[in-house]
Each structure stands twice: as C-alpha cells, then as structure tokens.
Amino acid sequence: MATAQGLLALDYIQMKTPAPALVPRPGIADRFWSLARGLDVEDVPEPLRSVLIVRHFLAVLDALERPRRGRAPTSLLGLLREAELAGDLSYASPEQVRGEMVDAPSLVFSVSVLLFHRLTGRHPFGAEGNDIRRFDRIRRGELGSGVNHFPAVPSGLRSVLVRAMGPFPEERWSDLAQLRARLEQFVDQEAPAPRLPGTASDVPDHDDGATRVVRRATDFGRELMAVVDRHER
C-alpha cells in the first residue's frame, strides 16, 4: 500500500515532468510537394525556374497513388479531405467548398492552385490572413489579388493555369491527364536545349541560328575540334 509520502513524491515528479511538445501537422501544400524531390529554384532565372517547378509538379503527380516504402499510397482527394476536416479550404475547388461532389475537374482546379502558389509565392484568390474571405472567393470562383502576379508566370504556362482554375468545371481541363499533357508541352518548349562541352551559350548565335563552337579548355572540346578539323581537310 502506497504511503502518503510516496503519493506526494509521485505527484511532485508528474508536476516537474514537461508535457510532450505538440508538433503541428504539415499543411496540404507542404505534404503535396514533399511527395517528390525538387530542386532549389530561389536564384534560378525565368523561364528555367518555372520549368523546374513544373517538372517537380509532374513528379508529384507521378508519386500520387503510388505506394511509398510499404506505406499506403497518398491520395490527392485524401489530402484535400484531410485539409477540409482541419478547416483549411485554401486549395479546395469551388465545388468542394460548396459541399458538392469532388470529381476530376475539381482535382485539376486544386492542383493548379497549388502550382500557381508555388510559382508566384501568392495564392491566386488572395485575402492573405483572411481565410473566410478567401474561402468565399473560391466558392464563387472569383480570383483575388493573386492575379496581379500572373505576369510573372511564362505565357505558355499562364494560359494553362487560367483554364485550369476556371470557376466552372466544364471549362477546365477535363482531368489530370489533360493538364499533364499541357504542362509537358510547356516543359518541352521552354526547357533549354542541351549543350555539348566546349560550346558557349553566352556567345551570340550566327545569323543562320547555328550554335557557335568556341575553343575552350576542355578535353572533350579539344577532341571535338580535332575531329572537325580532320573532316574539313
């Protein structure tokens, strides 16, 4: 039987033991982008910066619904529903905010908002610090102050996002496959062409558009020039 002294000592120990710190659960944006590895694009100029972000985005889409090291696959709809239960509708579609069915065009809307936010650092529906106003704008499909940052997005990507974030489902890309195809087209068009060692991209092209080969101190460059010289003789 415990003594009164022992009970007092136990109470003292419990009072001195700090409660475990509560670690906040990452938000939907952090969880979404963490599904695939992306590069640091902070100091990368446009349009290469946008190309790298879109490539990261496409890798995340690949990772969705795919098991990860024995764990259950991550569902985009599951992420959106968890955020909704936590009271965060920042990346929900107008249909989800209104309590309607979430279908393929709804998912297109949600991931496009995530992509726009990543590209510009601003939420397309604005209302920073005022969730109620933002959720109401999303419900009505009315873009906010974020549209002021559209010019920072390359034009080929801008048109894709404008349609993807349309207020009416029938006006958006019909599913993620269609959105992916348009984004892959943007990447193909905007990604810089690969350069051979010994060439310089900072040298102006000739009038015929050919890449100018420069004699640079690289082994491959010297070998390449030697082969060219032999063929020209």
Side-chain angles (χ1 to χ4, degrees):
M1 185 173 179
T3 64
Q5 246 183 349
L7 291 173
L8 286 173
L10 184 59
D11 287 342
Y12 179 79
I13 292 172
Q14 289 176 340
M15 289 173 61
K16 289 294 184 180
T17 304
L22 295 177
V23 179
R25 187 175 179 81
I28 180 175
D30 291 334
R31 295 179 64 194
F32 177 85
W33 291 107
S34 69
L35 292 174
R37 182 175 297 178
L39 298 176
D40 182 7
V41 297
E42 183 178 352
D43 299 320
V44 178
E46 291 291 357
L48 181 57
R49 177 181 177 276
S50 293
V51 168
L52 293 176
I53 291 175
V54 171
R55 282 178 173 168
H56 184 190
F57 178 85
L58 294 173
V60 171
L61 293 187
D62 287 337
L64 284 167
E65 313 294 347
R66 188 175 63 198
R68 302 174 65 202
R69 295 182 183 177
R71 292 181 292 175
T74 302
S75 162
L76 176 57
L77 180 57
L79 289 177
L80 293 167
R81 289 302 189 195
E82 286 181 25
E84 180 181 354
L85 291 174
D88 185 6
L89 294 170
S90 294
Y91 302 100
S93 65
E95 305 86 72
Q96 184 179 353
V97 175
R98 294 194 296 262
E100 300 169 2
M101 184 180 68
V102 175
D103 55 10
S106 298
L107 297 180
V108 167
F109 181 98
S110 294
V111 296
S112 298
V113 174
L114 282 160
L115 177 56
F116 180 92
H117 201 170
R118 179 76 175 84
L119 287 165
T120 66
R122 295 290 185 273
H123 196 284
F125 290 86
E128 306 294 338
N130 191 330
D131 289 344
I132 294 177
R133 179 178 298 175
R134 176 182 290 174
F135 299 163
D136 185 57
R137 284 179 178 171
I138 294 174
R139 179 181 62 81
R140 292 181 283 117
E142 295 180 1
L143 293 171
S145 58
V147 298
N148 296 328
H149 299 273
F150 257 121
V153 179
S155 58
L157 184 54
R158 197 182 312 152
S159 59
V160 175
L161 291 175
V162 167
R163 177 169 175 176
M165 296 189 296
F168 305 110
E170 62 273 14
E171 295 179 355
R172 303 174 200 147
W173 306 112
S174 62
D175 53 30
L176 292 177
Q178 271 199 359
L179 175 63
R180 169 190 284 280
R182 299 314 188 279
L183 293 176
E184 288 175 344
Q185 184 178 14
F186 163 77
V187 169
D188 291 341
Q189 291 175 345
E190 296 293 341
R195 288 196 289 124
L196 289 174
T199 64
S201 60
D202 54 343
V203 180
D205 292 341
H206 296 294
D207 292 340
D208 58 0
T211 303
R212 180 181 176 185
V213 180
V214 184
R215 297 177 185 270
R216 294 292 174 89
T218 65
D219 292 338
F220 182 89
R222 283 193 291 268
E223 292 170 5
L224 180 63
M225 293 303 302
V227 172
V228 171
D229 288 341
R230 285 198 299 271
H231 281 278
E232 288 179 347
R233 289 173 186 171

